Amino acid sequence: MATIKVLLADDHPLILEGLRATLTKRGMRIVGETGSADEVVGRFRQCRPDVLVLDLRFGQGATGLDVARALLSQQPEARIVFYSQFDQDEVIREAYRLGAAAYITKNQPPDVLAQAITEAARGKTYFVPAIAERLALLGVRGDGSPRARLDPREAEVFVQLASGLTNNEIAERMSLSSKTIGVIAQAIREKLGVQRTAEMTRLAVRYGMIDP
């Protein structure tokens, strides 16, 4: 197989440096790097890599999921390997649902990432065994995530409630009345079977809807 060309996208310089050294040591060629989510699509077109190694979180801006969605809408053949510290089931499933070739958490050995990149370059989808098992269980048990159980407006309100905002603050942000937000909030509590804000926060963190 020809040398695999890799584009790295992560907003932590030390992670980029480590990835560069690790993958170069394993015979791969780093054709580009970026620490900005907004630059990824442009850099991909410029560098034409075989595989993009993509972080999930880039500060307060677009997420890796947003980047993948934008890139794959323009270049469906793009091969993306997510490399992230986040391992919530819903986040991982969404990454694969979007079309990712692999999702590797940063606590995995370097050889696992290298294997995922190699498989991605071959046009295959790669699953770490533990993640494959978790996704299989989700398929059997059903999706208990708030995203699956709430409509889009309820999900938007849920995230803001879980982040600690009051009904009045949410109403102002969404240009709705406080009474309307109250009705939506009650519907959310009934659908999810939770009452306290702390319970919402735990759910939102568990499913990757807000940061821990």
Side-chain angles (χ1 to χ4, degrees), residues 2-15:
T3 300
I4 298 172
K5 297 177 294 182
V6 180
L7 171 63
L8 304 175
D10 195 297
D11 64 344
H12 292 85
L14 286 176
I15 296 293

Side-chain angles (χ1 to χ4, degrees), residues 4 10 22 25 33 45 53 72 79 84 93 112 124-125 131 140 202 211-212:
I4 298 172
D10 195 297
T22 294
K25 180 180 178 181
E33 301 176 13
R45 287 197 298 263
V53 176
L72 290 168
R79 307 298 293 165
S84 173
R93 185 158 78 165
V112 173
K124 298 181 179 180
T125 302
I131 285 178
V140 171
R202 284 194 292 270
D211 289 336

Side-chain angles (χ1 to χ4, degrees), residues 51-189:
V51 178
L52 165 64
V53 176
L54 179 64
D55 194 8
L56 185 70
R57 293 290 166 87
F58 289 82
Q60 299 300 315
T63 69
L65 295 175
D66 296 326
V67 171
R69 192 176 290 110
L71 177 60
L72 290 168
S73 69
Q74 298 177 30
Q75 303 197 50
E77 77 286 355
R79 307 298 293 165
I80 300 173
V81 172
F82 277 95
Y83 186 59
S84 173
Q85 65 182 354
F86 295 95
D87 69 346
Q88 291 94 340
D89 291 343
E90 176 62 22
V91 172
I92 296 171
R93 185 158 78 165
E94 181 64 16
Y96 280 108
R97 185 185 292 130
L98 287 174
Y103 191 105
I104 308 299
T105 53
K106 290 180 178 177
N107 62 350
Q108 291 288 333
D111 284 341
V112 173
L113 175 62
Q115 183 179 359
I117 293 170
T118 300
E119 295 300 312
R122 290 172 174 163
K124 298 181 179 180
T125 302
Y126 178 83
F127 294 91
V128 174
I131 285 178
E133 181 178 354
R134 285 161 55 186
L135 294 180
L137 285 173
L138 274 179
V140 171
R141 296 174 179 170
D143 189 351
S145 75
R147 282 194 186 91
R149 298 161 67 183
L150 303 174
D151 66 37
R153 188 166 70 166
E154 289 170 343
E156 184 178 358
V157 172
F158 169 77
V159 167
Q160 296 182 74
L161 287 170
S163 299
L165 273 66
T166 66
N167 285 5
N168 288 338
E169 290 170 330
I170 298 170
E172 184 175 351
R173 286 190 174 196
M174 298 182 65
S175 299
L176 297 171
S177 70
S178 181
K179 181 178 179 181
T180 297
I181 296 300
V183 171
I184 295 172
Q186 184 57 37
I188 291 169
R189 293 186 181 95

